[in-house]
Amino acid sequence: MAKLSRNQPIPCRRKGITTNGLNRTEVTEFVLMGFSDSLKVQILHTVLFLFVYLAALMVNLLTMLTALDGHLQTPVYFFLRNLSFLDICYISVTVPKSIVNSLTHKTSISFFGCSVQVFFFIDLASTEIAILTVMSHDRYMAICQPLHYEVIMNRGACVRMMVMSWLSGMICGFMHVATTFSLPFCGSNVVHKFFCDIPQLLSLLDSKVIIIEIRVMVFITSLVIVCFVSIAFSYVSIFSTIPRIPSKEGRSKTFSTCIPHLLVLTLFMISGSIAYVKPISNFPSVLDLLLSVFYTVIPTTLNPIIYSLRNKDMKVALRRQCGMLHGYFD
């Protein structure tokens, strides 16, 4: 082998990888494999993702529009508007890049771009779990402790809970990026997902140092479990309280509201947990790719529909705001 200059990298056969003077490979970009190389599958993927993305933007923006309504200033609507803003950011981290890749047939993402995507994805996913936990606590207080609700869930407490939720997400995102992208990659730069996801990136790391990132994953997974237990406690308490609600209409309304909340929340948390806890594979199956859709795309579209647009007061507020906007432009 020819003697290498210590400071001058030479290109390797695989695009996005260089070899430094220590004869060690360095990844400069990653290749996002997506769902398939088939043109038909790529077109289908583009159409479906574009439709879901636009739908998510529309329904979440409608929910945020209710912030202009003076009648909906209670804690639950404050949390819903935060959740809608977060969902717009969350789906925008991964889906637009995936759509552009399919349209341009360009699958590469820079090392820096991948690290930024990982940071915001983990940040927003962790914040979503925190906000959903806070919202379950809010429903618990409203249904199970109605006499203490206004005292405990005051404006200051709600703002503090939201600040802590957003801050916790930023810390989780920083921890993952700081550990993952400071470790040596083994030479391969192929990510078998439509976005940079931690489990797939772990398969590209040196097995001798991967334990550092695994410790971070175990720590954050433990926090997710704590949130899940807290949510479970809230909903178990709510369901045990429902039979004691005097009116049949009140019982039916509470039950029909809580069940969809719980289903979407469970779908999001369980699909994400399975993807991050199961053994790492260099060649994930189609099921693994579909699983990633369940915790990246589906919840952001269903959340505003289930939490907001099924709410009678929200519908009235939206009609009122739309009427005001229509009158303004006329």
Side-chain angles (χ1 to χ4, degrees):
M1 180 181 293
K3 187 176 180 179
L4 298 174
S5 171
R6 187 173 181 82
N7 298 317
Q8 183 180 4
I10 62 171
C12 294
R13 292 182 180 179
R14 188 189 298 272
K15 182 182 178 182
I17 299 177
T18 60
T19 304
N20 60 20
L22 300 177
N23 200 27
R24 179 173 137 185
T25 57
E26 294 180 350
V27 174
T28 59
E29 66 178 29
F30 294 94
V31 177
L32 303 175
M33 295 302 292
F35 292 93
S36 174
D37 293 330
S38 169
L39 181 60
K40 291 183 179 179
V41 175
Q42 288 181 350
I43 293 174
L44 179 62
H45 154 249
T46 301
V47 172
L48 289 178
F49 266 38
L50 183 60
F51 173 77
V52 172
Y53 182 64
L54 294 177
L57 289 182
M58 182 184 68
V59 292
N60 281 291
L61 285 172
L62 285 175
T63 300
M64 291 180 63
L65 184 63
T66 60
L68 303 175
D69 194 285
H71 298 83
L72 301 183
Q73 300 303 319
T74 56
V76 63
Y77 298 113
F78 172 69
F79 297 143
L80 284 173
R81 287 188 282 267
N82 270 270
L83 182 64
S84 291
F85 174 72
L86 182 143
D87 281 338
I88 290 174
C89 298
Y90 183 54
I91 195 171
S92 297
V93 170
T94 57
V95 172
K97 172 67 175 175
S98 180
I99 292 173
V100 171
N101 285 351
S102 291
L103 290 175
T104 60
H105 305 291
K106 180 183 176 182
T107 59
S108 63
I109 182 172
S110 68
F111 188 90
F112 175 74
C114 185
S115 64
V116 170
Q117 190 177 62
V118 167
F119 171 77
F120 282 109
F121 178 76
I122 297 296
D123 171 13
L124 296 170
S126 302
T127 303
E128 175 133 354
I129 293 173
I131 291 179
L132 291 174
T133 304
V134 169
M135 291 176 66
S136 69
H137 177 69
D138 174 75
R139 291 299 82 204
Y140 163 76
M141 293 301 304
I143 296 171
C144 302
Q145 305 288 337
L147 299 179
H148 304 286
Y149 180 76
E150 292 186 4
V151 176
I152 296 176
M153 302 299 293
N154 57 70
R155 180 71 179 179
C158 293
V159 171
R160 286 192 295 273
M161 284 189 281
M162 282 299 96
V163 170
M164 291 301 295
S165 296
W166 285 94
L167 184 60
S168 65
M170 291 179 64
I171 293 173
C172 291
F174 177 77
M175 289 176 65
H176 271 297
V177 170
T179 53
T180 302
F181 292 91
S182 63
L183 299 174
F185 288 87
C186 298
S188 175
N189 64 342
V190 178
V191 178
H192 294 273
K193 286 285 182 72
F194 63 91
F195 66 103
C196 286
D197 202 9
I198 289 293
Q200 272 298 300
L201 291 174
L202 288 183
S203 68
L204 309 180
L205 288 172
D206 189 330
S207 59
K208 296 179 181 179
V209 298
I210 197 175
I211 189 65
I212 301 174
E213 170 60 19
I214 289 179
R215 287 172 182 170
V216 173
M217 289 188 66
V218 169
F219 171 72
I220 295 178
T221 301
S222 300
L223 296 180
V224 172
I225 292 173
V226 170
C227 290
F228 186 79
V229 171
S230 175
I231 292 168
F233 171 79
S234 296
Y235 278 101
V236 167
S237 300
I238 289 171
F239 289 136
S240 64
T241 304
I242 288 176
R244 298 199 294 269
I245 296 176
S247 67
K248 182 178 179 180
E249 182 182 354
R251 291 194 299 270
S252 176
K253 181 180 178 181
T254 304
F255 189 78
S256 63
T257 300
C258 290
I259 286 294
H261 293 187
L262 195 57
L263 288 176
V264 174
L265 191 149
T266 302
L267 172 67
F268 172 66
M269 295 188 71
I270 290 182
S271 60
S273 298
I274 291 174
Y276 275 67
V277 173
K278 72 180 185 64
I280 303 167
S281 172
N282 290 323
F283 301 98
S285 64
V286 175
L287 183 61
D288 292 324
L289 292 171
L290 292 177
L291 190 66
S292 65
V293 174
F294 282 116
Y295 62 86
T296 57
V297 180
I298 303 300
T300 57
T301 308
L302 293 182
N303 277 338
I305 295 174
I306 289 177
Y307 281 96
S308 306
L309 300 183
R310 294 174 68 250
N311 185 297
K312 183 179 178 181
D313 293 334
M314 294 283 281
K315 291 178 182 178
V316 172
L318 283 173
R319 283 196 292 267
R320 188 158 48 234
Q321 293 303 316
C322 290
M324 292 175 63
L325 290 174
H326 185 267
Y328 174 80
F329 286 111
D330 285 345

